[in-house]
Amino acid sequence: MTTEPQRSRAVFSNEDFGLMKEAVANYVKQIADDPRSSKFSNLYHRLGRLG
């Protein structure tokens, strides 16, 4: 008897990516003067490619 590994399920839906992108965009505006804002801006763009 050969068993195949179970298929992995997605953790996030396409709608989730849109919500996260919106939340990150708002946060980037709040921390615009913080040096970390560029990292969050990059995250925003990566989320846009996924969802």
Side-chain angles (χ1 to χ4, degrees):
M1 179 178 198
T2 305
T3 59
E4 295 183 23
Q6 288 184 342
R7 185 175 170 194
S8 62
R9 289 186 262 163
V11 176
F12 297 111
S13 71
N14 287 341
E15 184 179 5
D16 293 338
F17 287 113
L19 293 170
M20 287 188 283
K21 187 176 176 185
E22 183 179 340
V24 170
N26 288 324
Y27 188 64
V28 168
K29 291 176 189 174
Q30 291 176 9
I31 65 163
D33 296 332
D34 189 313
R36 297 179 310 147
S37 66
S38 64
K39 292 182 180 186
F40 283 95
S41 180
N42 291 338
L43 174 59
Y44 172 84
H45 291 291
R46 287 193 303 272
L47 286 169
R49 289 192 302 250
L50 293 173

